[in-house]
Every structure is written in structure tokens, then in C-alpha cells.
Amino acid sequence: MLDTPDAVMAALRENDARPYGRTRTVTAEELVDAAEQFEDTGVRSMALLELMEAYEYDGERSKSPVVFARVLKLWDQDSDGFGEWARQQVFWRFKWVAAALMDTPDVPLAAVRRWHTELRDRYRAAGYGLQPYYAQRYHLAAQTGVAVQDAYELWTARPRTELSDCHACETRARARHFIEAGDDARGLEILAPVLDGRSTCEQEPYLSQATALLPLLRRGRLDEARSAHLTGYRYARGKASMLHAVGLHIEFCALSGNEPRGLELLAENRDLFAVAGEPAARLEFLTGVEVLVAGLAAAGHGELAVSGPAGTSWTVDTLLAHLRGEADALAARFDARNGTDAVSAARRARLAVEPLLAEPLALGVRAAAALELSTAQAAAPAPRRTVEAEPEDFTALVLRARELEAAGHPDADRLWKRIAERAGADGFVHPGSAELGGPERLAAELAEQHAHEALQRDEHAEGAAGLLAAAALYERAGLPGPALMVRTRTLIVELDDVEGAVADWTALDAALARAEEQRAAGTLADDDYLIILQSRAYAAHHDLVEALPEPSAQTAARFEAAVGAYRQTALSLGSARRAATSRQYTADAAARQGRLTEAAAELREVLAQLDAAELPWHTPRVLGLLGQVLLQDGEPAQAAEVFHRALAEAVRWGDDSYPYAPTYMMLGHASMQVEDLGGAVRALSEAAARYDRQGETAVEEAAQVRLQLADVLRGTGRSADAVAVLESVLDAAGAGLDERMLAQARLDLARGLVELDEHRDAAEEYLRLADLVADWEDQQTHTMVACEATLALAQADRWDAAEAALGRAREAHGKAPQVDQLAATLRELARLTMRDKGAEGLDAALALLAEADAIGEAAERAGEEYSGWYLRGGSHYERGRCLAVADRHEEALAEVERAIAVYERGGERAESPRAESVRLAALIEGGDLGRPQAAVARLTAGIARCEAAGLREAAQILGELRERFTVN
């Protein structure tokens, strides 16, 4: 019942605790009506100010001026009735109204300027400085494009006042001035204190991160751009008050080669199309979306279904037409009001920008890309070398493709694709020349190439069927040699597809026998014969690997014989590339059996052999294997260098079949080991993106890489980035991820959210995780999760739920004891109880600590392993802290001294917690109990002990506290 002023004020406080959004706004409107029944200026002013704030942060800024007119009327009638906070807010919100009027094109320019004058006069009369007035004049100049530099200098030359915008927001405005003038370097330099967290506010650094996205791309600061997107978008997502920022993030995706991610953001923010209360921000949002959609239309994706305003189904083409119509009209309204074309010109400039990167920037997050986009981006980056021109003559084209294929040159694939296009065109007539062969041979070759493509996509069944079809066509063409070679290759296809499969040596031996017969008859070409031998070597290598670590003598001997025959025949026939391949099998087998030095030496000789034979396009795979061996051998720096070479060479030669994703993943691991964490983030992000392009066949690999990426990000203090990555992993939960992988992702996400102080969301993740692992045989995991959930719930002030989670932890502990963790949870819960309830929570806190002690005693009786000194010392320390909070200082000091005594028995590991106990004891003794001399003596002894133990930071902390007591 809102029948008293106090009831309305209580409801206002309750509403103020709600997140911004429709619920809060509607409630604020109802509370204004409720307040109007009282002749109480204080209540009425607070209700109106709350409504203004709700409009400001719910995308309805254009309604603020009407509300503020009522506030100002109250102020002029009874300013003494305003409370202290409300008095300050009256002057502060003059600026909100100025912004709302400027950003609404239906408000005449003269009215905006009159309000500026009103603001100036009110500030001057109240004794406030005029820097905020000149800031508003600058913002209007920036929108109209008139005398911008003069207005900027008049604003920034004045000192800040108590009514100036917060430092972070003013910094962003100053940075935008230079960015829009084309000086990205200066703009980013100004933004630095906000971007690095030194200057923040409710919406910062998130707005500044959005502002910095494209300047960072243009300056080549790609790691910072990636981070700004990941962390900034998490905050902006779905918020009406961040409409402009969401548009910038979508535009960033379009211009960084991340169109699939942009479409995902568009879908997540579809409701923002309904936000119409901030016309200027709406124009910025629509333009950002148009950059994305226009790029897709230009790339030929006009029929692709996309998200747009609710109530209609949209394609790229239809949404683009809608966006252009509305945004052009809105920009024209601003221009008509302002008397310039500055708004439309700025819009045209954004739409004219081409993609800023030659290759997509790997963001590390998963995007559920539309099929067309996923396919379009599946190829490796364009080669960095000059590609030879394709012969115009069809016969010459086919002969060149055969020549390149015999050399294993990656350009062969490109030529075969071109041949398939020309042969499949309407009106194609086979030349019928003798050197080209008949139509049946060409059909067989194209079928074989199609099978190769399927195998590269890991479509093994399709590939095997394609090879059999090609063999039949070769036989029909009277070419038994190629037919036998292709049929032999089908014998090894299932080795990659069927888990636990072993080679069919009866069939392989029979194929070899027929090959020998054909060779003797002159119907089998040397290279086809070598491919048959390579198939046998591949099968032998597969069987050896499957049998490790203890292969049978027969398996080992077969491997040596098959690889040896392949190598010797290749050498005798002068095929350097085939001989090099045989040695890769040998090197890989040696590495898998722990003979890493031997494997590395073998691979280096292969590289030298390929170099001498002038076959550089075969080096990327050898380099990739060498890097893997070096990484396994504990040489991460060398491995990273080799991986970089492998990737560069693969790109140079345009090898689309190269395993980019695993190589980037291993490069990430090598970079982590040499503490090049920035390099690790780049490599793992790229690996994840590459796995994504492989579709459903690599979902688990992509998720695993993202878990590793999140670990690296958290290790560098970038928890927000890590959380964004982990959220994208869980978005793939329906893609059939392994249950334990999902559990790890959810655990890492929950811990990351705790680090961000997002305890309510963390608690939700912990509870989902607890349900997931509840039935696992390993109940220790359940205990751990329930313990962490307990603390997250307590941090989120959900005490009933925290007690329920603690009950789950106790139950799981009974089945699978986790003594140290449960005791630590009880100690931390005691601390949180005192923080929340103060002295009134002492009995509950002491009961929790007594339970922790009892858990340790029970474990000791049962002979379970746990850190006794740590558990008991921690209980004494926490009990002392609780007692100190309750002003029972003598008892508190005694408990902390007991903690110090227990830590004496912990050895070197206990020196750090002992030092902390000394600090707390000195605080109680010198501060609460008024015995500074005793505290100084305690600290002096503690400092000496810390220095002896090498704890410099602890010694410094104790030293600073001693100085405090000495000075006082």
C-alpha cells in the first residue's frame, strides 16, 4: 500500500535496486502517480528524478525534458523541500535535458540553444562553473558540424567543475573529437586511462571500448580490438541505453571479417529495433547494422534470412532496403533541423568504409554462422605469391593440372576445379586429342578429384564411394593402372573413419601383387605404383600407432618393411617428394615412441632434401611435424618459430588442405610455454575460428581450444574476455559436446563470473553445474562445486539458497570427503556472515567455524589426508577476525595468537599465513586495544621473519603498519 510518504520512499528505494529496463520504468511511472497524492516536495521530487533516470537508461531519453519541467517547477516553488542529493541532481540533470533535446530532430535548434542559455544562467546564479555549459555547446557543434574546433577549445580550456560529466565520459568525448577528425592515434592516446580501467563509471569503459573498436583496427592493434569487443559487448548486449554501442560492435564485426558474428549480434539484439526514444542513438545503431547488411548484400548473400524488426521475416536484401529508407530519412530530419548536412555526411562516410583487414580477425568466440557464410569463409587466406595464369586452351589446362598433381603442387587443385567448371558448362565439347585422352579418362580424373575434396572434409564414406566410382571410370577408359591405384587407396580410407580399425593386409597384399603384374606388363605408371606403396606405408604406420606403446614384433616389422620399400622405390625412381613422405612416417613413429632427437634429425634432413629438390610446397607439413616434435621435446621457443614458418609457407603456397587449426593450436601451446601470452591468445583464437569453419565435425575440438584460450585470458587478468569466450562454448551445448567438457566450461565460467563480481550469475552457473555432476561416480567434484556455489550465493545475498547449497556440499562430502575445501568454505562463509550481519551474526559465524574444526577432527580420526595446520590455523584466524568485528578484542587477539602458534608447525608453507596473522594481531593490539608499543614489537619480529623467509611483499606490508603505529 502506497498510502504514506514513507511507503512511497521505500518503494522508490526498492525500484532503484532493480536493473534498468521496462519493469523499472513502468514502476517509476506508477510511483510518480503515487507521490502526487502528497504535498511533500521531497517525495515528489525523488519520484520524478527516479523516473528521469529510468527513461535515461531505458532508451526513452526523449521523455526526460517533460519530466524535468515538472522537477524544475517544484524547485522554483519549494527548493528547500529537496533533499541534499536531489538538490545536486537538479543541476546535474540540466545536462541530460540538453542531450535529449539535441538528440531529437523534432526539437528546433533555437529551442536547444535556449536550453543551453537556461543551463548557463541557472549554473551562474547557483555559483557553479560554466565548463558543463561549454561542453553542451561543443556537443551541439559536433553534431551540426559548425565551428567544431572553436567549440572544442572553449570547452577543454576550462577547468572541470563538480557538475562536469564524469572524467571517463569526458575523456571519451575528447577522444571522439580527434577520431572523427581522422587522428586515431591521438584519440586512442586520450582514451588510454579509460580503456585500461584507471577511469570508470557505470557505463565505462564499455562505451569507450565501442568507440575504440575501429580506431584500434585501423592502427593494427588487433589484440586490443579483440579484447574491447569481447568485454564491451558483454555489457552492451540487449541494453537500450547502449543502442549506439551495439551498433558499433556490429559494424566492427562487419569490418573485421566476422560477418557470422555480426549476424549473431543482430539476432541477440533484435528487440533494440523497437527502441525509438533516442533518435540520434537509433540512427547510429541502424547505420552500424547497415554496414553489416550492405556488405553481405554486396557479397551475394541477398537471400540469406536475417534478424530484423519484430513482426516480419527478413532477408539481407529486404532488411537493407528497410534500413536505408528509415536511416536516410532520420538523418535528413537532423540535417533539416541543424541547417547542415553533417549528420548525413557522417553516415555516408561510415557506409563507404571497406573491410579493414585482409583476413578475418579471430575473436575467440563461437559464432553460429549461417551455412552460406561458413562455406564462403572456409578457404585459407589468399596465397602471398604470384599464381601462374591458367592456360586458355583446354588441353593445355588439363596437361598442366596433371603435371602439377604429379609434383604434389597445391595449384593442381585450383586447376582441377577450373577444369570441372569448364567441362560441366553447357555446350562443352571434349577436344578428343590423343595426349588428353578420351572423355572417360577425364571423367575418371574429375571423379577422383571430387573424392579428394570429400576426404579433405573428413567425409570418408563419400570419399570412398567417389574413389570406387573413379576406379570404374578408369577401367571403362581402358586404364587399369590408375584404376588399381584408386581402388588401393579405398583400402585405407576407413582407417581414418572407424575407431579401432586395422588395415586389411590380405587386400593390400593382393593389390601389391596385381601392381607388380601390371608394372611388368607396362600398364602401371611409376607414380601410381608409388601411391600403392604409400598406401601400404600409411596402413603400416596406422597399425603401429594403434598398437603403441607396445606394438608386436610383426607390426613393427611390417612397418619397417612397408616404409622401407616405399622409400627405396621412390629413391630408385627419382621421386624426391615420395622419398620425403616415407621419411615423415619414420620420424612420426620415432616421435610417438619417445625418440624425439632422432625424429627431429630425420625431419630436418627431409627439409634439406625437399630444398635440394626444389619442392618448397611440401615443406609446410614437414615443418608442422617438426614443430610438434620440438614442442614435445621441451623446446617451445624453437617449436613456435617452426610453427610460424609452417603456417607462412602453407599460406604462401595456398595449400587449402593444410591442417591450419591444429597447427595454430600447437603454436598457442608453444607460446604459452615461453610466456608469450599475447601470441598464445592470437594463435588459440585463430585455431578456434579454423575449427569452426570445419562445421559439426570439429565442434569438440573448437570447444577444447576455447577452454585453453579462456585459461590464458584469465591468467593475464582478462577475466571478462575469458567469460565471453566461455559463454560462447556453452552456447554450443546443444551441439553434442562431451558432458565433462561442458562441466569444465561451466566451472570455468562460474569462476570467471566470481572474479568479475557477478556473483548472482556465477551462482546460477554453479547450481546448473551441481545438477550436472550430482550423479557422477566422482562425488568429490560434486562437493567442490557445491562448496563454490555456496560462496557465490552468499556473495549474491541469497542466503537461503546458500544454506541449501551448503547442505549439498555436506552430503557430497559424506560420500567423497573434501576436507580442506569444505572447511575453507565454512571459514569464508563465516567471514561473509559477519560482513553481512555484523555483531549480530557472531553466533552463526562461530558455529560455522566450530563445524570446520569438527570436520578436521573427524578426518583425523578416520585417517584421511588433509592439511591439519592449515585448517586449524585458518579457523583460529577467522575466529579472531569475527570476534574483532564484534568488538570482543581481547578474545580476538587470543584467537589470532593461537593461529600464529599453529602456523609455527606448518614449516615454510605456513610463513605467509603466519605473517597475515601477525598483521591482524598487531591491528587489534595497537589499534583496538591501544597498545601500540606491543604492536610495534610484534611487527618488528614479524618483519625480520618475513625477510628471512624471502617474503618481501609481506615484510613491506608489516613495515607500513609499523610506521603507522610509530608515527601515531
Side-chain angles (χ1 to χ4, degrees):
M1 292 291 292
L2 301 176
D3 52 0
T4 68
D6 287 344
V8 174
M9 288 299 295
L12 285 169
R13 286 190 292 271
E14 181 181 349
N15 199 41
D16 186 59
R18 291 190 175 99
Y20 295 113
R22 191 62 191 152
T23 299
R24 177 167 174 170
T25 301
V26 170
T27 303
E29 291 172 337
E30 293 170 350
L31 291 175
V32 167
D33 292 340
E36 285 298 314
Q37 65 184 299
F38 307 111
E39 294 296 327
D40 188 321
T41 299
V43 173
R44 294 167 67 189
S45 63
M46 289 296 292
L48 289 167
L49 291 170
E50 163 62 24
L51 179 57
M52 270 193 83
E53 184 174 340
Y55 285 152
E56 179 75 13
Y57 293 105
D58 190 27
E60 297 191 77
R61 176 185 283 183
S62 60
K63 294 181 178 179
S64 289
V66 175
V67 179
F68 190 66
R70 295 172 65 182
V71 173
L72 208 54
K73 182 178 180 180
L74 271 179
W75 174 264
D76 290 338
Q77 292 173 348
D78 182 19
S79 61
D80 292 337
F82 283 65
E84 183 178 351
W85 178 84
R87 293 173 67 86
Q88 192 269 349
Q89 285 298 303
V90 169
F91 290 97
W92 184 269
R93 296 191 186 187
F94 267 94
K95 299 181 300 177
W96 287 14
V97 174
L101 296 174
M102 181 185 72
D103 289 345
T104 304
D106 296 333
V107 176
L109 193 62
V112 179
R113 287 178 171 148
R114 280 198 301 274
W115 186 256
H116 288 174
T117 301
E118 178 77 9
L119 180 154
R120 181 197 63 191
D121 294 346
R122 294 270 188 168
Y123 277 27
R124 183 178 285 159
Y128 292 117
L130 296 183
Q131 192 258 17
Y133 160 71
Y134 286 101
Q136 295 304 319
R137 287 185 53 180
Y138 164 73
H139 295 319
L140 181 60
Q143 187 188 89
T144 62
V146 177
V148 179
Q149 186 60 33
D150 289 345
Y152 178 80
E153 291 173 3
L154 283 170
W155 164 41
T156 57
R158 283 168 168 74
R160 286 174 48 78
T161 74
E162 61 183 291
L163 291 179
S164 296
D165 286 346
C166 81
H167 182 270
C169 291
E170 279 208 346
T171 298
R172 183 183 73 257
R174 290 174 56 223
R176 283 192 63 178
H177 174 76
F178 288 96
I179 290 168
E180 290 173 2
D183 192 348
D184 288 338
R186 178 67 175 136
L188 291 172
E189 180 185 358
I190 291 171
L191 268 184
V194 183
L195 295 178
D196 64 21
R198 283 176 285 161
S199 180
T200 63
C201 71
E202 183 169 352
Q203 293 187 315
E204 291 291 359
Y206 312 109
L207 286 171
S208 289
Q209 286 168 333
T211 300
L213 289 170
L214 297 185
L216 288 169
L217 280 187
R218 290 191 289 261
R219 298 292 297 176
R221 293 163 60 174
L222 304 185
D223 291 347
E224 294 169 79
R226 178 192 300 110
S227 180
H229 171 64
L230 293 179
T231 57
Y233 176 69
R234 273 197 79 242
Y235 178 87
R237 179 174 53 206
K239 289 186 174 71
S241 61
M242 301 291 283
L243 188 65
H244 175 202
V246 171
L248 289 174
H249 282 283
I250 292 173
E251 182 178 2
F252 164 81
C253 290
L255 298 180
S256 65
N258 285 281
E259 292 87 349
R261 167 78 171 168
L263 290 176
E264 190 167 272
L265 268 57
L266 186 59
E268 289 178 347
N269 294 279
R270 184 177 190 177
D271 290 347
L272 294 185
F273 280 104
V275 177
E278 296 187 26
R282 180 174 181 81
L283 177 60
E284 297 284 352
F285 170 71
L286 295 175
T287 302
V289 174
E290 187 176 340
V291 171
L292 170 69
V293 177
L296 292 172
H301 298 295
E303 296 303 312
L304 180 68
V306 294
S307 296
T312 305
S313 296
W314 300 93
T315 66
V316 165
D317 284 343
T318 59
L319 181 60
L320 179 58
H322 172 80
L323 291 170
R324 282 178 175 165
E326 180 180 348
D328 283 346
L330 185 53
R333 288 167 58 198
F334 273 106
D335 289 344
R337 191 274 303 272
N338 294 339
T340 69
D341 72 343
V343 173
S344 291
R347 171 173 150 73
R348 289 193 298 270
R350 285 175 70 184
L351 294 171
V353 175
E354 297 290 330
L356 298 174
L357 303 177
E359 302 167 16
L361 173 64
L363 298 175
V365 290
R366 178 181 181 270
L371 179 60
E372 294 94 325
L373 298 184
S374 180
T375 302
Q377 296 190 14
R384 300 296 194 271
R385 61 184 173 85
T386 302
V387 179
E388 67 176 69
E390 298 172 0
E392 287 296 326
D393 178 72
F394 187 78
T395 298
L397 178 62
V398 175
L399 294 178
R400 182 56 176 160
R402 290 172 182 168
E403 181 184 353
L404 291 175
E405 184 166 359
H409 197 290
D411 278 358
D413 291 340
R414 175 175 57 86
L415 295 190
W416 280 116
K417 289 176 182 177
R418 181 65 181 137
I419 291 166
E421 291 173 1
R422 292 179 63 174
D426 292 340
F428 171 76
V429 178
H430 189 279
S433 61
E435 56 184 345
L436 178 61
E440 295 84 1
R441 178 181 178 182
L442 181 61
E445 288 172 321
L446 291 175
E448 184 182 357
Q449 291 301 318
H450 184 74
H452 291 173
E453 293 170 5
L455 292 173
Q456 287 177 9
R457 298 192 305 269
D458 291 331
E459 299 289 346
H460 297 100
E462 180 184 341
L467 289 174
L468 290 173
L473 288 168
Y474 277 125
E475 289 166 348
R476 192 179 308 164
L479 297 169
L484 176 61
M485 176 271 291
V486 172
R487 287 190 186 280
T488 304
R489 289 189 59 204
T490 65
L491 298 175
I492 63 173
V493 168
E494 73 168 9
L495 299 181
D496 290 324
D497 189 33
V498 180
E499 186 175 353
V502 294
D504 183 350
W505 284 100
T506 300
L508 285 165
D509 288 343
L512 179 60
R514 288 194 297 274
E516 299 293 355
E517 293 171 1
Q518 287 189 9
R519 197 170 183 222
T523 58
L524 184 65
D526 287 346
D527 200 55
D528 288 343
Y529 180 57
L530 286 172
I531 293 174
I532 291 170
L533 293 179
Q534 181 181 358
S535 297
R536 293 173 59 82
Y538 181 91
H541 175 266
H542 172 272
D543 286 357
L544 179 72
V545 170
E546 286 293 306
L548 291 176
E550 297 182 1
S552 68
Q554 179 185 18
T555 300
R558 180 178 284 151
F559 172 77
E560 294 296 338
V563 173
Y566 179 36
R567 179 179 305 171
Q568 291 305 314
T569 305
L571 291 172
S572 67
L573 294 176
S575 177
R577 80 176 265 230
R578 301 291 183 190
T581 302
S582 72
R583 299 184 72 170
Q584 289 179 61
Y585 289 130
T586 301
D588 184 74
R592 290 175 185 271
Q593 295 175 80
R595 306 195 308 275
L596 300 175
T597 302
E598 175 187 333
E602 184 83 6
L603 291 168
R604 287 192 171 99
E605 289 184 20
V606 171
L607 290 169
Q609 183 179 341
L610 291 172
D611 184 57
E614 297 183 350
L615 297 170
W617 50 86
H618 289 296
T619 60
R621 294 172 192 275
V622 182
L623 288 166
L625 183 54
L626 176 58
Q628 192 172 354
V629 170
L630 290 170
L631 184 60
Q632 190 177 349
D633 198 26
E635 297 290 347
Q638 292 184 45
E641 180 182 351
V642 170
F643 286 136
H644 278 298
R645 286 177 56 199
L647 291 164
E649 287 299 301
V651 169
R652 178 188 173 208
W653 292 104
D655 187 353
D656 293 353
S657 66
Y658 182 78
Y660 287 98
T663 305
Y664 273 112
M665 179 181 68
M666 290 185 291
L667 173 59
H669 296 167
S671 300
M672 289 165 59
Q673 292 184 32
V674 297
E675 298 185 355
D676 176 14
L677 299 182
V681 169
R682 288 189 290 274
L684 293 174
S685 297
E686 186 66 38
R690 298 278 178 170
Y691 278 125
D692 284 344
R693 295 174 197 173
Q694 296 177 26
E696 294 182 2
T697 61
V699 169
E700 286 208 359
E701 289 84 348
Q704 187 61 58
V705 169
R706 288 194 167 95
L707 290 180
Q708 297 166 7
L709 172 60
D711 278 343
V712 176
L713 291 168
R714 285 182 63 198
T716 59
R718 291 157 61 183
S719 294
D721 296 39
V723 163
V725 170
L726 291 166
E727 286 173 339
S728 77
V729 172
L730 291 172
D731 287 343
L737 293 184
D738 175 73
E739 184 181 73
R740 289 191 174 270
M741 185 181 295
L742 281 175
Q744 186 63 57
R746 208 170 286 286
L747 176 62
D748 291 347
L749 174 58
R751 288 172 173 171
L753 290 167
V754 168
E755 291 170 5
L756 296 177
D757 292 331
E758 297 179 22
H759 297 291
R760 186 173 294 273
D761 290 341
E764 293 297 331
E765 292 299 333
Y766 277 124
L767 292 176
R768 292 190 188 101
L769 179 57
D771 291 338
L772 179 64
V773 305
D775 296 329
W776 286 11
E777 185 176 344
D778 173 19
Q779 280 296 297
Q780 288 184 333
T781 302
H782 190 195
T783 307
M784 174 194 71
V785 171
C787 284
E788 294 189 26
T790 299
L791 297 180
L793 288 162
Q795 290 278 20
D797 290 329
R798 295 177 58 186
W799 287 96
D800 290 344
E803 182 59 38
L806 182 60
R808 294 180 72 165
R810 289 168 175 143
E811 182 180 354
H813 171 78
K815 300 174 184 176
Q818 289 277 70
V819 177
D820 288 320
Q821 178 147 29
L822 182 54
T825 299
L826 292 165
R827 289 196 301 272
E828 180 64 8
L829 200 56
R831 184 188 72 81
L832 293 173
T833 298
M834 295 301 295
R835 183 201 69 179
D836 188 64
K837 300 178 181 177
E840 292 181 2
L842 180 61
D843 289 344
L846 293 179
L848 290 166
L849 294 171
E851 183 181 351
D853 289 337
I855 287 171
E857 292 165 2
E860 193 162 340
R861 288 193 300 271
E864 297 168 358
E865 287 190 12
Y866 76 105
S867 300
W869 63 267
Y870 189 79
L871 189 155
R872 287 189 292 274
S875 289
H876 285 304
Y877 172 86
E878 199 59 59
R879 192 175 289 110
R881 187 156 61 174
C882 291
L883 288 164
V885 171
D887 294 331
R888 290 165 58 173
H889 299 119
E890 289 289 0
E891 296 171 80
L893 180 59
E895 280 296 326
V896 179
E897 287 179 333
R898 291 186 187 101
I900 294 170
V902 170
Y903 288 140
E904 291 286 354
R905 301 195 289 272
E908 184 178 341
R909 293 179 301 165
E911 287 298 326
S912 184
R914 183 189 183 281
E916 167 56 22
S917 297
V918 168
R919 184 195 69 83
L920 180 57
L923 275 174
I924 296 170
E925 193 168 33
D928 297 319
L929 295 175
R931 302 200 289 263
Q933 291 182 339
V936 168
R938 185 189 297 276
L939 290 166
T940 300
I943 292 166
R945 182 153 178 164
C946 287
E947 291 173 344
L951 301 176
R952 295 182 179 178
E953 185 177 353
Q956 181 180 351
I957 291 171
L958 296 183
E960 291 170 357
L961 182 56
R962 181 177 63 178
E963 184 176 349
R964 246 176 66 191
F965 286 130
T966 302
V967 170
N968 293 337

